[in-house]
Amino acid sequence: MKKKITIKLKQNDYKMTEQRETVLEVMLKNRGKHLSAEEVLEKARKKSPGIGIATVYRTLEKLTEMEVLYKTVFEGGKFRYELYDDAGSKQQHHHHHIICLKCGKITEVQEDLLSGLEQKIESQGFKIIDHDLKFFGYCPNCK
Amino acid sequence: MKKKITIKLKQNDYKMTEQRETVLEVMLKNRGKHLSAEEVLEKARKKSPGIGIATVYRTLEKLTEMEVLYKTVFEGGKFRYELYDDAGSKQQHHHHHIICLKCGKITEVQEDLLSGLEQKIESQGFKIIDHDLKFFGYCPNCK
DNA sequence: AGACATTTGATAATGATTATCATTATAGAT
DNA sequence: ATCTATAATGATAATCATTATCAAATGTCT
Ligand SMILES: [Mn+2]
Ligand SMILES: [Mn+2]
Ligand SMILES: [Zn+2]
Ligand SMILES: [Zn+2]
């Protein structure tokens, strides 16, 4: 995985630096979590104490372009990043999220069930590349 | 519609002011559009030239709380507001959006097709209140 | 090791949204 | 219609996340 991404970087004339490796490791170690740039910074400093917030933003952005990370807005209007389900290989679709309106917990839903709807939309002349589906409600604890 | 909302305001000890009425009229006249606060300000000033941006934000926020408006982030990381499909009455669900990655056009999808998935999720102990589904791809013109 | 382009970190700038506060307007009581 | 209490407004400052700038440091290739 890490090796695959290093190769991808080189193909695009990007260098593999200590900081980029650290950010990547943070994301790999936190699969299933949805981290803000500040949270990534905090974790990255454990390994690379000197790393700056600008580098974290730049690296997250680059990994998002490369489709290693998925970037989206949850509540609070700031971006959060997570590993793509199948980071490294050609990416198609993304799992869904349930956000608890009381405790803020984020639960992932793996079932897709959108292909029917996507087919209907494509039959009207669109080409669908990806989707982003969030459910808002209450988790079992807060219901 | 406007009357219904005025009554709702009163029930919550809010006053109906010229500015609130203007913002509401802007939103009613632009059903199907997705306006930023700045865009609402611009349109509102046609009728109430002195209105300030802070009042626009406050009013949009209030109407969102009251479930007259729906607030969401499209591309660019800023909030946009639109009338709820059935603004005024008890609100359940919301239509979906297709965002063209080339020209930015936003198309609405009325078909729901999520009830199956929602039922499956609720059978796992969640309570679903609303959802937000966006498709990313290319519109017929840009495909 | 040396050359050169890329990357980094500190910090300034930006842009959207929210908070502050003195002034003004609204709704209900008189 | 006037008065009063309270809520709302507009100007502007503050905040917060993100992006831009730039001199110094680093990675890659020879
Ligand atoms: Mn996720
Ligand atoms: Mn819409
Ligand atoms: Zn919860
Ligand atoms: Zn298009």
Side-chain angles (χ1 to χ4, degrees):
Chain A
M1 179 69 252
K2 212 193 299 179
K3 193 172 276 182
K4 222 182 269 183
I5 293 168
T6 308
I7 292 166
K8 231 185 194 178
L9 278 171
K10 286 204 178 154
Q11 285 172 344
N12 292 66
D13 274 328
Y14 297 146
K15 296 172 178 173
M16 180 46 88
T17 65
E18 186 211 315
Q19 293 89 335
R20 285 176 178 173
E21 192 175 10
T22 299
V23 169
L24 181 54
E25 277 170 14
V26 166
M27 297 311 293
L28 288 168
K29 263 192 218 136
N30 289 277
R31 182 181 288 277
K33 289 194 194 151
H34 309 85
L35 304 177
S36 66
E38 282 296 340
E39 287 165 350
V40 173
L41 177 70
E42 200 182 328
K43 291 176 195 294
R45 285 202 162 145
K46 299 262 165 69
K47 184 167 231 264
S48 303
I51 193 171
I53 186 69
T55 298
V56 170
Y57 271 108
R58 283 184 291 234
T59 305
L60 292 173
E61 217 46 44
K62 207 165 285 301
L63 291 172
T64 302
E65 270 171 40
M66 288 167 58
E67 296 186 295
V68 172
L69 300 183
Y70 184 76
K71 174 187 182 182
T72 189
V73 173
F74 287 101
E75 298 313 271
K78 68 180 171 180
F79 290 109
R80 293 183 167 271
Y81 301 81
E82 67 179 306
L83 264 198
Y84 250 117
D85 297 329
D86 189 16
S89 56
K90 257 281 164 290
Q91 192 53 46
Q92 341 72 352
H93 272 168
H94 196 259
H95 59 256
H96 315 316
H97 294 108
I98 312 171
I99 296 136
C100 179
L101 296 171
K102 191 164 177 207
C103 72
K105 183 163 184 277
I106 298 173
T107 308
E108 305 197 335
V109 186
Q110 294 302 333
E111 289 105 314
D112 195 331
L113 288 212
L114 289 176
S115 36
L117 190 43
E118 293 196 355
Q119 273 175 20
K120 199 176 270 186
I121 293 169
E122 294 207 330
S123 79
Q124 288 162 24
F126 292 87
K127 173 68 188 163
I128 303 299
I129 303 293
D130 198 4
H131 57 236
D132 178 7
L133 173 53
K134 298 194 180 80
F135 293 101
F136 302 96
Y138 299 96
C139 76
N141 284 337
C142 297
K143 195 172 66 170
Chain B
M1 176 72 254
K2 213 193 298 179
K3 192 172 275 181
K4 223 183 267 181
I5 293 168
T6 308
I7 291 166
K8 232 186 192 177
L9 278 170
K10 285 202 183 158
Q11 285 173 343
N12 292 67
D13 274 327
Y14 297 144
K15 294 171 180 174
M16 179 46 89
T17 64
E18 186 210 315
Q19 293 89 334
R20 286 177 177 173
E21 192 175 11
T22 299
V23 168
L24 181 55
E25 277 172 13
V26 166
M27 297 311 293
L28 288 169
K29 263 195 218 136
N30 288 275
R31 182 181 287 276
K33 289 195 194 152
H34 310 85
L35 303 177
S36 67
E38 282 295 342
E39 288 166 349
V40 173
L41 177 68
E42 198 182 328
K43 291 176 194 297
R45 285 204 161 143
K46 300 261 166 68
K47 184 166 230 266
S48 303
I51 193 172
I53 185 70
T55 298
V56 170
Y57 271 108
R58 284 184 290 234
T59 306
L60 292 172
E61 219 45 45
K62 205 164 287 299
L63 291 172
T64 301
E65 270 171 38
M66 288 167 58
E67 296 186 293
V68 172
L69 301 183
Y70 183 77
K71 173 186 182 183
T72 189
V73 172
F74 287 101
E75 299 313 90
K78 68 179 171 179
F79 289 110
R80 292 183 169 272
Y81 302 80
E82 66 179 307
L83 261 198
Y84 251 117
D85 296 330
D86 189 15
S89 56
K90 257 278 167 291
Q91 193 52 47
Q92 341 73 353
H93 272 169
H94 196 257
H95 59 256
H96 316 317
H97 293 108
I98 312 170
I99 296 136
C100 179
L101 296 170
K102 193 165 177 206
C103 73
K105 183 163 185 274
I106 298 172
T107 308
E108 306 197 332
V109 185
Q110 295 301 334
E111 288 105 315
D112 196 331
L113 287 211
L114 289 177
S115 36
L117 191 42
E118 292 196 354
Q119 274 174 19
K120 199 175 270 184
I121 292 169
E122 294 207 330
S123 78
Q124 288 163 24
F126 292 87
K127 173 68 189 162
I128 303 299
I129 303 293
D130 198 5
H131 56 237
D132 178 7
L133 172 53
K134 296 193 182 80
F135 293 101
F136 302 96
Y138 299 95
C139 75
N141 284 336
C142 297
K143 197 171 65 171

